[in-house]
Amino acid sequence: MKNFSTVLVAVDFSDSSDNAFQMALSMARSFSAKLLILHVINEPVDLRGFYVPHISFEKLEEEIEDGAKKMMESFCRRNMVDYDDYDCLIVAGLPYEQIIGQAQEKSADLIVLGTHGRTGLDHVLFGSTAEKVVRKSKLPVLTVSLEDS
Ligand code: AMP
């Protein structure tokens, strides 16, 4: 069986991604792999200088980034109590592009993500991020649904 050495898990802090995270952590333990925990700040539509002055958008972006960092810190404090080999990554952009791009850049050999995320469209098989990552990634992708454990 292939020995994974770096596992990237994409988290949007939804229940489904929590479940994917638990699966990724358990795989990282089994393979003694590094776990990369990635959150992507959805790039806001660029309306700078259109409706509102620059400064309010810059402030908004700063606050979104601070909020994401705090959520990630608290997520790692809660979940990474007894596993040291991990890094937390926060980047901005399109989630599916960043998940694939960061996995390649950081030489991950497996991507783990939830079948669904915060959008909650559970009547479809995959959410749009999951579907695009599965279709476009050249690396193996493991999708985890809320029912998997
Ligand atoms: P979705 O396809 O958007 O319903 O989300 C499916 C899965 O993609 C989630 O359970 C997460 O694992 C991952 N994901 C979605 N959005 C993000 C994001 N902004 N940052 C990191 N991972 C994400």
Side-chain angles (χ1 to χ4, degrees):
M1 187 178 178
K2 185 176 162 56
N3 190 10
F4 297 108
S5 59
T6 305
V7 174
L8 181 142
V9 60
V11 297
D12 63 357
F13 309 113
S14 61
D15 290 346
S16 176
S17 95
D18 278 0
N19 219 31
F21 168 81
Q22 292 304 335
M23 182 74 84
L25 177 57
S26 124
M27 292 195 69
R29 279 188 212 283
S30 308
F31 290 101
S32 301
K34 178 182 269 292
L35 187 61
L36 300 175
I37 308 164
L38 172 69
H39 177 67
V40 184
I41 299 170
N42 248 310
E43 196 97 274
V45 183
D46 195 355
L47 297 172
R48 251 171 283 230
F50 190 61
Y51 297 125
V52 285
H54 282 213
I55 186 68
S56 17
F57 259 100
E58 273 150 23
K59 187 104 193 77
L60 178 66
E61 276 177 3
E62 251 176 62
E63 284 184 13
I64 290 174
E65 215 180 297
D66 278 0
K69 279 186 192 150
K70 283 190 185 124
M71 278 186 92
M72 183 62 107
E73 274 164 23
S74 121
F75 183 86
C76 291
R77 246 197 326 275
R78 264 183 290 124
N79 291 292
M80 301 307 292
V81 274
D82 58 355
Y83 198 75
D84 290 339
D85 195 6
Y86 73 94
D87 278 336
C88 297
L89 307 168
I90 297 182
V91 295
L94 277 177
Y96 85 90
E97 279 183 2
Q98 290 297 333
I99 293 167
I100 294 173
Q102 291 292 318
Q104 277 170 351
E105 201 180 307
K106 303 284 186 304
S107 306
D109 33 32
L110 176 69
I111 296 174
V112 181
L113 78 175
T115 51
H116 298 86
R118 304 180 69 81
T119 46
L121 297 172
D122 50 3
H123 58 282
V124 290
L125 193 55
F126 285 126
S128 73
T129 306
E131 193 251 324
K132 288 194 187 96
V133 173
V134 167
R135 263 196 309 116
K136 294 174 188 265
S137 171
K138 294 194 172 68
L139 294 171
V141 179
L142 173 66
T143 60
V144 183
S145 81
L146 255 182
E147 284 80 46
D148 299 322
S149 57

